[in-house]
Amino acid sequence: MNDNKKYSFIYIRVMLILILAFVACREGNNNVSLPPDSTETIYDILVDANSPKGRVSPLLMGFGTIYSFEKDEMWQNGQGLMPSMLKRFNTGILRYPGGALVNRYHWNNLNGEGWKDNWNPNYDTANDKDPREYMDVDEYMMNVQAIDAEPMLGINMGSGLKYDRVQDGIDEAVALVKYCEEHGYAVRYWYLDNEPYHDGANYKMTAAEYAEQINLYVPAMKAINPDIEIIVNWKHNITSENNSLITLVEAAGIHIDIVEVHWYWQWGESSFNLWKDNSPMSTKNKWYNGGSYADEIMAFKPLMNSLGYPHIKLASNEWNIGPSASEASHPSKFESALMQSEMFSQYIDAGMHMACFWGAYWPLAEQGTNTVNRYLLDPTDDYSQNPSVTMFELFADAMGTEQVECRSMISDVYDIAIRDDVNDQLIIYVLNKKDSGESLSTGIKIKGYEIGTVNAISFVDTMMSESHLAGIDVKVEDDRLILHLPKNSLTKIVVKR
């Protein structure tokens, strides 16, 4: 080759690389920088098993209970439908007694009427339910131990404020901490009230009022057990409109270990088409101008550092896609699960500390018209499993592992990778939001991990399987995997040496 042709060839090659890098930066969904050795091999995704990003918290696989809905027959002292399912997920934490009902909940005087407060002077005890229709603290602890998860107990602050009985509320909380200590219940995580900023709270608090209550309750509770961790719940505004969060942390940060936010994607407007147009999935809605879930999570620690409380961690202990504007626009059961998988992928990707999915089910008598598809179980079909169950089963192996670098150059694709040293395997999750064509041809380059056997399975909208799982063929070329991702799918690829 003469010098002119040689230099022309080099110039064309360099220009091609620059063009690919520009396209990747404009179109890639996460970690979109061009792999450094792309001059040698063209591929879409790079996994570097020798570049750890941090441990995937086992507390990400969490779920919420609603004590007044948890019938004995669903749990059967750790042997029923619910605990059997939660075991398969490798569940790390279980939240009790629920969401909005916690600020009407009195653990030592249960009525089974979640949203009716028996501290109300006009409360009629004739409304009290049969204890078999709900779960008390002892039953809860038995079930938590059966699934080998961490317990998380809620404290009612709303009743004390509403009925001018704050000291009684503190005494009630202290008595519960003592009860757990005396009965050998190792409860590390305690959450203080629920959405106290919401109009539907038993007592709606400002950030300053909530901070004042935190500063009263926590010292009294920690006098019984100084090792407990305190979770507080506030608005999900992290990167903008966060003044009230800052007020709360500045006033009570010394007594806060975890801030819990509630994320329901596009509440009242959720749809599959809207999700496909939203890459990556974002917290931005008609109320809040936020970034992606990963962006919000990663912005939290610098915010806490700036306030002088670097120890405070982030959780989302109620999360799901939101309900839709109408029955017609609500995602199908499979679509709901696929959308949920991206939220969960972003939680893993950004290193979220803790999360609890809401909800397992909602009793048929209380069922809304367009929300059943986003639950784990379908109360309209004898509590049969929704596809979300399969989705969580696919992620069960990721809990407690080491996340490693995973970089993509494909738009509308979200990918994460984990290294499971206990079972000596590398697992790659690839969410394909594209629906053009039947499949997407993909090359995955793997660095730092010898490829032996490879198995891949896709969670896909298919009538061939009730679980929506289909095997995927993978071709191995040296350090690369070549496969076809089905449209609108979540694929789990397991590589062993």
Side-chain angles (χ1 to χ4, degrees):
M1 182 183 295
N2 62 43
D3 287 345
N4 288 338
K5 288 184 177 179
K6 178 180 178 181
Y7 290 129
S8 296
F9 176 79
I10 293 172
Y11 175 81
I12 292 170
R13 190 174 185 182
V14 169
M15 290 303 296
L16 177 60
I17 293 169
L18 291 173
I19 291 168
L20 286 172
F22 176 79
V23 171
C25 291
R26 289 295 300 271
E27 296 187 359
N29 72 303
N30 66 320
N31 301 316
V32 294
S33 57
L34 188 71
D37 58 351
S38 60
T39 56
E40 300 297 326
T41 307
I42 298 298
Y43 48 86
D44 302 310
I45 298 170
L46 170 66
V47 175
D48 189 346
N50 288 331
S51 294
K53 293 180 64 177
R55 182 170 179 257
V56 179
S57 172
L59 302 179
L60 277 185
M61 189 66 82
F63 297 88
T65 62
I66 302 175
Y67 99 89
S68 56
F69 292 165
E70 310 299 346
K71 296 182 179 181
D72 289 357
E73 64 184 70
M74 294 291 287
W75 292 84
Q76 296 177 22
N77 297 326
Q79 303 300 316
L81 173 63
M82 283 294 297
S84 298
M85 178 181 68
L86 294 173
K87 285 179 188 177
R88 299 200 306 274
F89 298 161
N90 197 12
T91 297
I93 195 162
L94 198 64
R95 185 176 183 245
Y96 171 95
L101 56 72
V102 75
N103 47 47
R104 299 165 176 85
Y105 166 80
H106 304 285
W107 73 273
N108 51 6
N109 186 19
L110 293 179
N111 57 9
E113 293 282 338
W115 287 263
K116 296 179 181 178
D117 192 342
N118 57 18
W119 276 17
N120 185 335
N122 299 319
Y123 180 78
D124 185 354
T125 57
N127 294 319
D128 290 2
K129 289 184 177 179
D130 186 320
R132 290 173 296 181
E133 298 297 307
Y134 57 85
M135 180 189 290
D136 63 24
V137 171
D138 295 308
E139 291 171 326
Y140 164 73
M141 290 304 306
M142 184 184 301
N143 286 302
V144 167
Q145 292 165 359
I147 63 175
D148 195 25
E150 288 276 357
M152 184 203 309
L153 289 179
I155 295 298
N156 175 1
M157 290 177 163
S159 294
L161 284 169
K162 185 168 184 176
Y163 299 109
D164 196 23
R165 297 177 58 177
V166 170
Q167 188 57 52
D168 288 340
I170 295 171
D171 293 343
E172 183 180 65
V174 168
L176 180 54
V177 178
K178 284 183 178 178
Y179 185 85
C180 290
E181 290 290 299
E182 292 167 355
H183 286 74
Y185 298 151
V187 183
R188 179 178 180 180
Y189 300 103
W190 298 79
Y191 67 102
L192 305 185
D193 220 83
N194 180 86
E195 298 183 2
Y197 52 83
H198 199 281
D199 289 339
N202 200 13
Y203 182 94
K204 183 178 178 180
M205 306 181 208
T206 65
E209 286 176 316
Y210 190 32
E212 181 181 16
Q213 295 302 300
I214 293 167
N215 291 336
L216 290 173
Y217 275 73
V218 176
M221 294 169 64
K222 286 199 171 185
I224 307 302
N225 182 353
D227 296 326
I228 62 177
E229 292 197 21
I230 299 298
I231 304 168
V232 304
N233 175 209
W234 200 247
K235 300 174 184 178
H236 60 241
N237 301 20
I238 296 172
T239 58
S240 65
E241 304 168 36
N242 56 14
N243 288 340
S244 63
L245 173 61
I246 292 172
T247 296
L248 175 65
V249 172
E250 286 180 337
I254 193 172
H255 292 135
I256 299 172
D257 297 292
I258 299 168
V259 170
E260 162 192 343
V261 299
H262 293 172
W263 273 324
Y264 293 98
W265 183 74
Q266 292 294 337
W267 185 274
E269 298 180 352
S270 175
S271 75
F272 193 59
N273 287 335
L274 182 59
W275 171 70
K276 287 189 295 184
D277 290 338
N278 189 212
S279 289
M281 204 174 189
S282 169
T283 62
K284 185 175 182 178
N285 56 33
K286 59 187 176 184
W287 300 292
Y288 178 61
N289 188 28
S292 70
Y293 290 100
D295 288 342
E296 296 288 307
I297 294 165
M298 289 187 289
F300 182 80
K301 184 172 179 56
L303 176 61
M304 293 301 105
N305 290 345
S306 72
L307 298 175
Y309 295 102
H311 70 280
I312 298 179
K313 298 177 284 291
L314 181 67
S316 180
N317 288 337
E318 283 188 28
W319 73 269
N320 203 330
I321 62 172
S324 304
S326 67
E327 183 73 24
S329 63
H330 194 65
S332 70
K333 291 181 177 183
F334 169 78
E335 291 169 347
S336 296
L338 198 63
M339 295 160 71
Q340 291 159 354
S341 78
E342 185 181 352
M343 291 183 72
F344 199 58
S345 293
Q346 289 198 40
Y347 289 178
I348 294 173
D349 195 22
M352 174 86 92
H353 178 64
M354 176 189 290
C356 291
F357 180 80
W358 188 99
Y361 60 87
W362 199 267
L364 187 57
E366 308 285 343
Q367 178 58 49
T369 58
N370 70 349
T371 59
V372 65
N373 291 355
R374 63 194 181 115
Y375 300 145
L376 296 176
L377 304 175
D378 183 354
T380 68
D381 186 24
D382 196 26
Y383 294 93
S384 61
Q385 295 183 358
N386 278 341
S388 298
V389 170
T390 301
M391 181 273 292
F392 281 117
E393 288 174 339
L394 289 173
F395 280 108
D397 291 338
M399 299 302 104
T401 61
E402 182 74 37
Q403 186 187 0
V404 296
E405 190 71 28
C406 185
R407 292 185 282 164
S408 171
M409 292 188 293
I410 321 172
S411 63
D412 300 323
V413 170
Y414 205 98
D415 49 80
I416 55 175
I418 61 101
R419 192 184 68 219
D420 179 2
D421 293 329
V422 172
N423 297 299
D424 195 13
Q425 59 187 7
L426 185 69
I427 303 178
I428 307 161
Y429 296 91
V430 184
L431 173 65
N432 178 22
K433 298 175 71 167
K434 293 180 180 290
D435 59 1
S436 57
E438 290 302 314
S439 64
L440 174 67
S441 181
T442 305
I444 303 176
K445 180 179 175 66
I446 297 177
K447 296 178 64 177
Y449 201 91
E450 182 181 353
I451 301 174
T453 62
V454 181
N455 290 291
I457 194 165
S458 280
F459 178 61
V460 65
D461 196 5
T462 174
M463 300 300 294
M464 298 176 63
S465 167
E466 287 186 4
S467 65
H468 291 273
L469 293 177
I472 299 295
D473 292 330
V474 181
K475 182 180 179 181
V476 179
E477 292 184 353
D478 298 324
D479 59 355
R480 287 195 304 159
L481 309 178
I482 309 297
L483 66 159
H484 297 278
L485 302 174
K487 66 177 184 179
N488 298 328
S489 65
L490 171 69
T491 299
K492 179 183 180 182
I493 306 154
V494 180
V495 182
K496 289 183 176 289
R497 300 180 196 274

